[in-house]
Amino acid sequence: MKKLKPIQRFAIAVGPYIIKALAKTWRITTLDYHHWSDRRKKGEVTIVALWHGEMLPLLYQHRNQGVAILISEHRDGELIARIAEKLGMKTVRGSTSRGAARALISMNTSLSNGDDVAITPDGPRGPFHSVAPGAMIVSFRSGAPIVPLSAHADRAWVLKSWDRFIIPKPFAKVVVAYGDPLVVEAEDSRAAADNTELLESAMQMVSKKASARLAR
């Protein structure tokens, strides 16, 4: 467990309450939620992929659903993990740069146990909206499809961080869009890892879907 600074401990203590209070003012619209919900009703596990900077509204949208989300092991990741857990998420620690092998095994274990898993393919350090191969490898090994997610808000604070982290403002319109399930077909894990452009294209498509709906 990482040693946290006093300000981080304070954020963990009050952060979930602030997020819930803020989020209750949001006007959330979902698009094609059935791409994920239908699978959950059937007891079929799913890998969901989301951009790191859109994590906050999506954590709230899927609170208390027991989704296991991959969070990096650095100190900022510890803060996010603690808050995610207080919002009813499960956490898997690691990333494509640190603890990658252990993280892949843990995500496959979560899927085997019947939990959906969430991955930020551009996390934990970017580049912005880049796609690392982790989600593709997990999908290939587990047989679970990837459903891309995207969240857009008409009014939001955007942090000056590499991921352009968004915090929708009070009473913002928030659109959460779900993409078609992506089935990873490959000869082996290496071939699956080499097809990240498929996920990148799917992520871009679902982001455009959310943006277009918000513009109406």
Side-chain angles (χ1 to χ4, degrees), residues 14-162:
V14 303
Y17 299 102
I18 295 175
I19 292 170
K20 290 176 183 178
L22 176 62
K24 284 181 179 179
T25 72
W26 298 340
R27 292 165 289 171
I28 300 176
T29 299
T30 60
L31 302 179
D32 296 326
Y33 179 61
H34 66 276
H35 286 318
W36 185 31
S37 62
D38 286 353
R39 293 184 56 80
R40 286 179 68 87
K41 291 175 183 177
K42 297 175 184 177
E44 298 173 341
V45 293
T46 305
I47 300 164
V48 292
L50 56 140
W51 295 129
H52 199 274
E54 299 173 6
M55 186 183 300
L56 180 59
L58 292 174
L59 284 177
Y60 178 77
Q61 175 68 10
H62 294 288
R63 67 197 183 281
N64 300 324
Q65 293 184 347
V67 178
I69 185 169
L70 178 64
I71 303 290
S72 67
E73 295 179 310
H74 59 73
R75 183 172 291 169
D76 289 343
E78 187 70 21
L79 173 63
I80 295 172
R82 302 275 192 93
I83 291 176
E85 289 169 355
K86 286 181 177 291
L87 290 174
M89 313 286 285
K90 298 179 182 179
T91 56
V92 176
R93 305 310 300 274
S95 70
T96 55
S97 57
R98 294 184 61 187
R102 179 163 55 84
L104 293 176
I105 293 172
S106 295
M107 282 187 287
N108 274 291
T109 299
S110 294
L111 290 165
S112 297
N113 291 337
D115 295 328
D116 293 324
V117 302
I119 301 176
T120 53
D122 60 342
R125 296 293 188 181
F128 177 72
H129 284 191
S130 63
V131 175
M136 301 294 287
I137 295 172
V138 174
S139 179
F140 170 75
R141 291 180 177 176
S142 66
I146 303 170
V147 171
L149 308 185
S150 186
H152 285 232
D154 65 341
R155 296 183 300 117
W157 292 289
V158 182
L159 303 188
K160 294 180 179 179
S161 54
W162 70 264

Side-chain angles (χ1 to χ4, degrees), residues 166-203:
I166 65 167
I167 304 174
K169 293 181 178 181
F171 305 101
K173 294 179 181 178
V174 178
V175 175
V176 177
Y178 300 75
D180 295 330
L182 171 63
V183 178
V184 178
E185 298 178 350
E187 294 182 357
D188 52 34
S189 295
R190 183 182 295 274
D194 288 339
N195 282 330
T196 55
E197 69 276 1
L198 295 177
L199 179 55
E200 184 174 356
S201 177
M203 296 289 287

